[in-house]
Amino acid sequence: MAEGLKKNYFEVLGLCCSSEVPLVERILNSLDGVEEISVIVPTKTVIVVHDTRRISETKIVEALNKARLEATVRPEGKMKSQKKWPAPSVMASGLLLALSFLGYIYYPLQSLAVAAVIFGVPAILVRSVASIKSLTLNINVLVLMAAVGTLALGDYVEAGSIVFLFSISQWLESVASYKAMAAMSSLTSMAPQKAIIAETGEQVDVNTVKVNTILAVRAGEVIPIDGIVVEGKCEVDEKTLTGESFPVVKEQDSPVWAGTINLDGYISIKTTALAKDCVVSRMAALVEESHKKKSRAQTFIESFAKYYIPAVLLISVAFAVIPAAVGVPNVRHWLYLAIVVLVSTCPCALILSTPVVIFCALSKAATTGLLVKGGNYLETLAKVKMVAFDKTGTVTRGEFTVTDFQSICDDVSLGTLLYWVSSIESKASHPMAAALVDYARSLAIEPVPENVEDFQNFPGEGIFGKIHGNEIYIGNRRIGPRTGCRKDSVVEVICTGGKTRGYVYLGATSVGTFSLSDSCRSGALEAIKDLKSLGIKSFILTGDSHAAALYAQDQLDHAFDMVYAELLPQHKAELVELLKKDGTTAMVGDGINDAPALAAADIGISMGISGSALAMETGHVILMSNDIRKIPKAIKLARKASTKLIQNVTLSVTVKGSILALAIAGYPLVWAAVLTDVGTCLIVILNSMLLLKNNPEEEGGFSKSKYGTFSLSCKKDEAKEALNVKNCRSRCCEATSAKDMASTSLHGQTGPNPCCLSSSSCGKDRSTSSTGSQGENKRVARGGKVKKCGDQCCDIEAGVTA
């Protein structure tokens, strides 16, 4: 932000609905020094970027309060306590109105209703005048006209009822919205404002802390800035950031995130970012931006309201003037009808129906570790019919292990080859790179990235770098043509067990090969099954080999409808375009290779913390944790929000239409019109806030389903299953239930686990893939019923308990 500019948050309790936003904007735009204005109606929040050298927060508050908008400055990271009682003038108006009902016993007491109007009308009058001055019409103008009309007709109790019910509704709306306001406040103020320097113990402002500073974090304190643990060990609660319930163990070299809580132990962390660039800061900015972006439905309704209010005013005037002008008998009835039309057709509930739903849904998603970048994307998410997944780092863990590394050239030793590869890979960001670097270090070979020159990345193929004058290419088999290597000179290595195969070239000469293994994430099967239960098809789009793609499909019991392998980034995007022809399509990915497909999809879902910055920027929804089970939950939430929106619109139109119909039928009840206006606004808010309600199944850190009970975060427990597997060499392993050795197996059989096949029989039993040319986007059809097989005996299907 430029020097002198400051962002301030103002609570504006007098903000009723979107019809008053133009009033707020015109007041603030007339002030010198105000650069940017954002209004979030559901939380009655106004965000102002202003030049502190030309205008202060106090002046902004004064300008808003001249229109009786009840504005106050909200301190950063804090939220004012909820108002327990209405304003004294509103309570006085209510008391006088209640006493005026005794006028039916003693007539002179009805005049107290006039006093009720006098106590309650000033705020409405000031807002109406300010609105008219700014050439806008809102609910305050309509209510004031209705109150004046009933007073002119001598119906003082009706006038008092209009003023009091409208005034009390403002307070009730602020009370109802308080939980939503608290949700947003908690999301945008998770990180502390102070940090402790480890060496001196000095407490400093987080905005002054530089990168690579060592900070101390004691038990019970919130981690102030993203960093890496350099000393100590503790458990960290990351629920506020990722939505995960279980604490995560942090030790030396573990990454930690600002806004998460150190539950026990003392740690020292080395900062890896500035406070403004931390994940939690970017998350807060995204949450704020998402609330500013209007959905298509909201934009339409607000545009409609701009013309609707003046039209209602003209119709009401016509009902009042035309009958009197033509001498129709019982003019008083027509005047009452005009007032009822004026009040009952007020669009507040209709205007509120969309933004409150969107706000609550976005807030709920954010508290569970899902950031949706706007209401439009939430609407699209509700319509999803197909979900395409990247494999590496999305469906699988992306935590590779090198299982084989060999030099195939007599002139290049294994040590030299490892030195070249680890040095160049240390400059890359792909998950495989870390595995290769770690493997080299395990053999006492230290990479020297500073010796690498002209480093280049070829998405979907591999990487290139010069080291000591040697041109080294590292990648999959598609990098061969780039090196100038003839196809017939490439050494093809048979790779069993679904391992990922890589090749190393020195110029145009193939000098080495390696293979890496990866496994599916815990809960991946549950996520795909949940998508199927929602009527959504799922696909894998991967640049990896057919064997690796089939291996992932096998681990997940062939849950995916189709698997596409050996795709370049542009091929992924082309496939997404084809899938979109059959329905709204979402793409889930985490890397640079996925960015084109994420952008091409109707809705892109990126893996936030573990994913690349480009994927995070390209995606429309950001998954803050690695738990892809949250994707079907996000779709369910979007569909619930869509249902709530329909309910709200139907309610606001139906109820008010009923009052209008009664009035036309000869029963123009002004008090009923006001009551339904107030009531529908409250019901719309409360109905929308049901989206914020916690799901009991999400409490306690476990997700329950028919596929078993899954831990939400602890990586150490992800490999533990309810079945005990006995290792064997010469025969297939036998699985026994943790509860009963004789109990029914996963597929309703007893004895040896049917998912296990001996290594020798795996190749015979596996169905061959159906592949076409690369230009036709190679497709892997559904294989046989083999779960997992390869060099090891077998493993139990990932993520499933008996």
Side-chain angles (χ1 to χ4, degrees), residues 682-731:
L682 290 174
I683 293 171
V684 160
I685 292 171
L686 294 173
N687 184 45
S688 303
M689 285 175 60
L690 291 174
L691 293 169
L692 296 172
K693 187 177 179 182
N694 289 327
N695 186 342
E697 290 187 355
E698 293 174 1
E699 299 289 339
F702 288 90
S703 174
K704 299 179 181 178
S705 80
K706 62 185 178 181
Y707 308 106
T709 302
F710 298 86
S711 167
L712 287 180
S713 64
C714 186
K715 288 187 178 181
K716 292 184 178 180
D717 292 337
E718 286 179 344
K720 295 181 180 178
E721 308 292 344
L723 298 177
N724 297 320
V725 182
K726 296 181 179 180
N727 295 324
C728 58
R729 295 180 181 177
S730 61
R731 58 187 176 86

Side-chain angles (χ1 to χ4, degrees), residues 40-295:
I40 303 175
V41 175
T43 58
K44 301 181 183 295
T45 302
V46 177
I47 306 169
V48 181
V49 176
H50 62 102
D51 189 338
T52 54
R53 295 168 296 187
R54 291 189 286 170
I55 188 167
S56 65
E57 301 98 315
T58 307
K59 293 291 184 184
I60 294 172
V61 169
E62 288 176 359
L64 291 171
N65 286 339
K66 283 180 181 178
R68 296 297 291 269
L69 288 171
E70 300 178 55
T72 55
V73 179
R74 190 179 77 199
E76 187 175 359
K78 295 182 180 179
M79 185 175 168
K80 294 198 172 184
S81 59
Q82 182 178 351
K83 280 189 175 182
K84 292 184 178 180
W85 300 102
S89 60
V90 176
M91 290 191 288
S93 177
L95 178 61
L96 291 168
L97 178 64
L99 291 174
S100 71
F101 284 109
L102 297 175
Y104 293 104
I105 300 172
Y106 181 61
Y107 184 77
L109 288 176
Q110 286 195 1
S111 60
L112 290 175
V114 178
V117 173
I118 293 170
F119 271 92
V121 84
I124 301 171
L125 178 62
V126 173
R127 290 176 200 164
S128 299
V129 171
S131 177
I132 292 168
K133 281 184 178 179
S134 62
L135 301 177
T136 59
L137 287 174
N138 56 35
I139 181 61
N140 293 284
V141 177
L142 300 184
V143 169
L144 181 64
M145 292 178 66
V148 171
T150 49
L151 281 175
L153 292 170
D155 198 336
Y156 306 135
V157 174
E158 288 274 20
S161 299
I162 291 170
V163 171
F164 171 71
L165 288 174
F166 178 74
S167 299
I168 199 69
S169 74
Q170 302 290 296
W171 174 72
L172 289 172
E173 282 181 26
S174 67
V175 171
S177 301
Y178 185 81
K179 185 176 180 180
M181 294 166 71
M184 180 180 176
S185 180
S186 66
L187 289 169
T188 55
S189 58
M190 287 191 294
Q193 300 302 306
K194 300 292 182 182
I196 297 174
I197 305 298
E199 186 177 356
T200 63
E202 179 187 2
Q203 190 176 71
V204 297
D205 189 292
V206 291
N207 295 311
T208 64
V209 177
K210 297 180 179 179
V211 177
N212 294 327
T213 302
I214 307 298
L215 302 178
V217 184
R218 296 182 288 253
E221 292 182 345
V222 179
I223 295 170
I225 301 178
D226 293 354
I228 297 174
V229 176
V230 293
E231 181 185 350
K233 182 178 180 180
C234 69
E235 288 189 328
V236 173
D237 181 359
E238 297 182 344
K239 186 175 183 180
T240 53
L241 191 63
T242 65
E244 305 292 3
S245 296
F246 277 121
V248 181
V249 175
K250 300 291 183 180
E251 48 195 5
Q252 191 167 351
D253 295 330
S254 296
V256 290
W257 317 104
T260 58
I261 304 170
N262 177 5
L263 297 177
D264 53 36
Y266 172 92
I267 56 171
S268 296
I269 65 170
K270 182 169 72 173
T271 61
T272 56
L274 299 175
K276 64 179 182 178
D277 299 324
C278 288
V279 169
V280 69
S281 298
R282 298 204 306 271
M283 176 180 172
L286 286 171
V287 169
E288 187 177 296
E289 285 300 317
S290 70
H291 289 310
K292 292 178 187 176
K293 293 177 181 177
K294 297 177 181 178
S295 67

Side-chain angles (χ1 to χ4, degrees), residues 248-250 254-255 390-403 429-439 498-500 515-522 544 551 555 590 607 609-611 625-627 713-719 792:
V248 181
V249 175
K250 300 291 183 180
S254 296
D390 170 50
K391 182 182 75 70
T392 304
T394 303
V395 174
T396 64
R397 300 178 189 279
E399 297 172 359
F400 287 92
T401 302
V402 178
T403 58
S429 59
H430 195 278
M432 294 182 190
L436 289 166
V437 171
D438 289 343
Y439 181 75
K499 295 183 179 67
T500 298
S515 59
L516 306 98
S517 64
D518 193 11
S519 59
C520 289
R521 293 189 184 279
S522 176
D544 215 335
Y551 185 58
Q555 289 184 75
D590 72 319
M607 311 286 276
I609 291 179
S610 65
S625 69
N626 294 326
D627 188 356
S713 64
C714 186
K715 288 187 178 181
K716 292 184 178 180
D717 292 337
E718 286 179 344
Q792 300 174 351

Side-chain angles (χ1 to χ4, degrees), residues 108 156 251 270 305 355 357 526 581 617 619 625 677 773:
Y156 306 135
E251 48 195 5
K270 182 169 72 173
V357 167
E526 184 186 5
K581 293 179 180 179
E617 289 298 320
S625 69
D677 180 65
S773 65

Side-chain angles (χ1 to χ4, degrees), residues 299-314:
T299 303
F300 171 76
I301 289 174
E302 289 182 4
S303 300
F304 169 73
K306 289 180 182 178
Y307 305 100
Y308 175 79
I309 293 177
V312 165
L313 187 59
L314 289 174

